[in-house]
Amino acid sequence: MPKAILYDSTLCIGCRACEGGCAERWGLPYNDKIAAEETISAHKLTTVETHGDKFSRRLCMNCAQPACASVCPVGALQKTALGPVVYDASKCMGCRYCMQACPFQVPTYEWSSRLPKMRKCDMCYERQSAGKVTACAEACPVGATKNGDRDALVAEARQRLAEKPDQYYQKIYGISEVGGTSVLYISAVPFEQIGLRTNVPQEPLPETTWRVLELVPDVVSTGSVLLGGIWWITNRRAEVAKKEGRRR
Amino acid sequence: MTRKFPKITVWRVIFAAIMLSGLYATYLRVFYGLGGSTNLSDKFPWGLWIGFDVMCGVGLAAGGFTLVAIVHIFRIERYKPVLRPAILTAFLGYVLVVVGLLYDLGRPDRLWHPLVMWNPRSVMFEVAWCVTLYTTVLFLEFLPVVFEKFGWHKPLEWIHRISVPLMILGVLLSTLHQSSLGSLFLIVPEKLYPLWYTPILPLLFYISSIAVGLAMTIFESWHSSRAFGRALELPLLASMGRVLAVVLSVYLWIRFLDMSHRHVFGLLALNRVETWLFALEIALMLVPALLLYQARVRLRPGALYACAVMVVFGFIANRLNVGTTGLEAGSGTHYIPRWSEVAVTLSIVAAGFAIFRAIAQYFPIFEAHSLEQAPAEMEETEADAVAVG
């Protein structure tokens, strides 16, 4: 049963407890200065963004079919059955294709390090494997961030939208975006007004490259026969020409 | 006996200045990381080192596979005099791409990881394997030159024996590699500006690499004829110019069709940076294509050279647009390379020129074939007919 996070922007009070919980879980420093940064970075894996009187969280969406994991040449990123997309820093060679490929611009890099790693939220894989909720969900005092089974959270989101139709924009972000994500958003206003990308494709992104990559065996087999054949013909022609030339 | 200090010329001073700045930039890269040496950011993870050093480096090396295919597989043997320089360019190009990668990778010490840790679903994985294998193939294709120089006949024979499968492998790997650099960007449909994002990016990258391979061959023949006081193989280069015109036309025609199918011509009415960069890129391909159809342009060395230079710059513009500028708007940020990024790139290019020159001076890159030009094509020995280079 894949896990998910439901973030309800209408409940969020912008207290940033999720940021603190996340920093503690990763062992990252957290103070007022870092709290004031409203962008995710290698030292801040989740953030609360202010959009007028509305709030919005940014964290890894842990996509159902993650572009980052599909593009990683060394398989350092893996989608787990539990839901989180996990990262093995010991494999990573730092090509940063995951950062380029991510439609949500989530992966961040330790730019100033001499031996840098990529950093991103992994939806508290160890905590969730041990049956605990994510650090952000545990820290949230108002239930704006909720962690649980994805199906149950989708049902709950639908129920909230149905019960208070005038308080919610009637859509759930993350249901079909890039083929579905583990983080689901509901909000009072259309999602672009709380800083979410609404121009992302509704299909899983790995398909875009796989369509071409799966042709590699075709190119190799057809190509080698074709080129070998052409070589054989031109070579034969040269041989024949040479023999005939000698006889004359 | 005192050794003479090399004469100071303008070019040598410029070369030294570039290499020194590159050296300092290298120091910054090693000790202060990517953050201390580049203007890359979380929102813009790939810059000049990927956009130019890797994407253009591989493309400009495309003359190698194009001419191997023309001379040895299609057996159009009159192109033979320019084959070796093309293979040398390709080999140096690939080696320098790897050097560029060592700068760009966050962990260059793990360059070998994709060979051991596999993810066949990743385009970058395919790219990594193509770079590795094709650099090896190019090394083997270049080896006969070394063997000839030192008169080692045994290894020369041995390498001739495997040369046909080697050449076919080289062409296949190039086909995969050139196109896969385009495939890299298929995963960013919402980031790459629609003038460049198309599902047929791999095809476009492949065709344009053939064009630039031919253009680079004309370019380096012109330069080496001046540097070494050789006669220019003008009729040969002119006929190559004609092929180039056809390849460019095919490329531009496919791009036109693709754009019309995707209904993006309306974007050209917008006064945006992308529109102008796109116009520049297309002009640098279209103008030489039109000019090269005219015999009087092709047969004038200066004009032929100018056309080749335009194609090279048009190609570089295209790769930079796809790899950097076309991604800026979609990434919501601006990127201008830091001086150290430019310094490293220039150093790599300058080193490429210098190494090419040194190798061409000491190894039979050009001379060997100027002797072979005179006899008729039929008189080739059997071993020569399948020889690489």
Side-chain angles (χ1 to χ4, degrees):
Chain A
M1 181 67 84
K3 299 286 182 180
I5 284 176
L6 173 63
Y7 172 74
D8 188 334
S9 168
T10 66
L11 298 179
C12 182
I13 52 169
C15 70
R16 300 183 186 275
C18 50
E19 294 181 1
C22 179
E24 194 182 325
R25 183 255 157 166
W26 287 97
L28 290 167
Y30 190 70
N31 51 40
D32 288 350
K33 194 168 156 265
I34 293 171
E37 294 170 10
E38 289 206 351
T39 49
I40 50 173
S41 64
H43 61 263
K44 188 175 188 185
L45 308 191
T46 186
T47 186
V48 176
E49 292 174 349
T50 318
H51 296 274
D53 61 343
K54 308 275 186 304
F55 298 106
S56 176
R57 274 191 71 195
R58 291 294 306 277
L59 68 162
C60 176
M61 304 294 279
N62 291 276
C63 305
Q65 294 186 56
C68 59
S70 96
V71 300
C72 180
V74 292
L77 286 154
Q78 298 286 342
K79 173 77 180 172
T80 59
L82 192 65
V85 177
V86 295
Y87 171 66
D88 180 352
S90 69
K91 286 184 173 176
C92 177
M93 62 177 197
C95 72
R96 310 188 297 285
Y97 195 12
C98 51
M99 305 175 68
Q100 186 71 276
C102 177
F104 305 106
Q105 296 184 304
V106 162
T108 55
Y109 209 59
E110 297 177 334
W111 293 104
S112 50
S113 167
R114 270 191 229 172
L115 297 173
K117 296 191 289 286
M118 183 275 282
R119 297 305 283 273
K120 76 167 193 69
C121 148
D122 68 355
M123 221 164 76
C124 288
Y125 179 62
E126 305 102 62
R127 290 178 61 103
Q128 290 210 76
S129 324
K132 289 195 274 185
V133 297
T134 61
C136 55
E138 192 178 76
C140 185
V142 292
T145 295
K146 211 174 160 186
N147 178 211
D149 291 337
R150 189 170 189 271
D151 292 346
L153 288 178
V154 169
E156 182 171 343
R158 291 222 167 96
Q159 198 186 342
R160 287 189 206 174
L161 299 192
E163 277 171 6
K164 296 176 181 166
D166 49 331
Q167 282 184 28
Y168 286 102
Y169 174 64
Q170 289 295 312
K171 272 185 183 146
I172 307 171
Y173 189 92
I175 292 281
S176 61
E177 278 71 16
V178 295
T181 61
S182 298
V183 178
L184 306 161
Y185 286 80
I186 47 176
S187 140
V189 291
F191 299 117
E192 57 271 19
Q193 292 180 28
I194 57 164
L196 296 178
R197 283 188 168 234
T198 46
N199 68 338
V200 295
Q202 301 297 306
E203 290 86 37
L205 285 169
E207 283 301 311
T208 57
T209 45
W210 183 244
R211 272 197 285 270
V212 177
L213 271 175
E214 67 179 349
L215 295 177
V216 168
D218 304 48
V219 172
V220 172
S221 54
T222 319
S224 50
V225 171
L226 198 69
L227 291 170
I230 293 170
W231 175 82
W232 187 83
I233 291 169
T234 56
N235 183 54
R236 181 82 191 129
R237 199 188 282 159
E239 271 177 14
V240 169
K242 200 162 79 186
K243 280 209 181 108
E244 285 176 348
R246 229 177 252 159
R247 247 176 252 145
R248 240 174 260 151
Chain B
M1 226 169 56
T2 51
R3 276 179 64 201
K4 247 207 241 149
F5 193 73
K7 208 170 74 182
I8 293 172
T9 65
V10 179
W11 284 109
R12 279 180 183 154
V13 170
I14 294 175
F15 179 76
I18 290 176
M19 292 317 267
L20 278 176
S21 66
L23 210 61
Y24 184 58
T26 307
Y27 160 78
L28 291 179
R29 168 68 188 88
V30 172
F31 288 95
Y32 297 93
L34 286 163
S37 52
T38 70
N39 277 347
L40 299 175
S41 63
D42 287 336
K43 286 192 170 174
F44 211 79
W46 288 357
L48 189 67
W49 290 345
I50 292 288
F52 186 85
D53 302 21
V54 175
M55 292 188 25
C56 295
V58 168
L60 297 174
F65 89 89
T66 310
L67 278 154
V68 162
I70 290 176
V71 174
H72 285 308
I73 293 176
F74 292 95
R75 240 174 231 266
I76 307 173
E77 303 224 346
R78 68 201 164 93
Y79 282 93
K80 218 171 173 184
V82 289
L83 176 62
R84 275 191 178 176
I87 290 179
L88 176 59
T89 312
F91 179 47
L92 283 179
Y94 267 71
V95 170
L96 294 174
V97 163
V98 175
V99 173
L101 274 174
L102 290 175
Y103 278 92
D104 187 74
L105 286 180
R107 291 295 301 265
D109 54 312
R110 294 177 174 175
L111 185 69
W112 52 276
H113 272 198
L115 304 183
V116 187
M117 303 163 189
W118 288 26
N119 177 15
R121 294 223 152 212
S122 162
V123 183
M124 193 64 91
F125 173 77
E126 186 196 349
V127 168
W129 270 92
C130 284
V131 173
T132 312
L133 291 177
Y134 191 50
T135 309
T136 313
V137 167
L138 282 169
F139 174 70
L140 292 174
E141 285 183 345
F142 182 70
L143 265 187
V145 177
V146 182
F147 294 158
E148 264 176 40
K149 162 83 178 172
F150 298 111
W152 296 340
H153 296 292
K154 257 265 145 56
L156 198 59
E157 256 172 51
W158 179 83
I159 204 134
H160 279 170
R161 221 167 288 151
I162 61 159
S163 66
V164 173
L166 199 63
M167 287 168 336
I168 292 175
L169 183 66
V171 175
L172 285 174
L173 286 170
S174 290
T175 304
L176 292 178
H177 192 199
Q178 298 291 350
S179 57
S180 63
L181 287 182
S183 315
L184 280 179
F185 295 91
L186 291 178
I187 200 108
V188 289
E190 77 295 335
K191 278 188 197 166
L192 184 57
Y193 197 69
L195 284 176
W196 291 288
Y197 187 87
T198 156
I200 61 160
L201 262 179
L203 179 69
L204 293 177
F205 266 52
Y206 181 58
I207 300 174
S208 54
S209 81
I210 295 174
V212 84
L214 294 169
M216 274 300 281
T217 308
I218 296 173
F219 175 85
E220 74 213 12
S221 289
W222 192 85
H223 273 285
S224 56
S225 83
R226 283 170 63 105
F228 302 116
R230 287 180 322 117
L232 197 66
E233 306 95 341
L234 192 58
L236 178 62
L237 297 185
S239 84
M240 200 177 281
R242 191 161 57 186
V243 178
L244 178 54
V246 174
V247 176
L248 284 173
S249 309
V250 170
Y251 174 75
L252 290 168
W253 179 237
I254 293 180
R255 265 192 103 168
F256 176 81
L257 290 181
D258 167 63
M259 287 178 69
S260 86
H261 285 308
R262 292 186 300 113
H263 311 290
V264 291
F265 283 115
L267 291 175
L268 296 177
L270 304 177
N271 184 19
R272 294 175 58 107
V273 185
E274 287 89 350
T275 311
W276 294 106
L277 289 170
F278 174 82
L280 173 75
E281 166 191 326
I282 294 295
L284 284 169
M285 302 266 197
L286 186 62
V287 171
L290 294 175
L291 287 176
L292 285 170
Y293 273 115
Q294 300 165 43
R296 68 196 160 88
V297 174
R298 289 199 304 269
L299 288 168
R300 272 180 49 215
L304 183 64
Y305 172 75
C307 286
V309 170
M310 270 191 269
V311 176
V312 169
F313 277 101
F315 171 87
I316 291 174
N318 173 256
R319 295 307 193 256
L320 286 177
N321 281 336
V322 174
T324 57
T325 42
L327 287 161
E328 283 186 58
S331 302
T333 182
H334 281 291
Y335 164 77
I336 291 165
R338 191 180 285 195
W339 75 265
S340 37
E341 287 176 78
V342 180
V344 167
T345 299
L346 286 177
S347 301
I348 290 177
V349 174
F353 271 99
I355 300 170
F356 184 94
R357 202 194 150 101
I359 293 181
Q361 240 162 8
Y362 295 110
F363 288 95
I365 304 295
F366 293 106
E367 314 93 88
H369 291 294
S370 50
L371 296 174
E372 274 176 39
Q373 259 176 308
E377 285 162 14
M378 310 265 150
E379 283 176 31
E380 302 266 26
T381 63
E382 231 153 341
D384 247 353
V386 283
V388 179

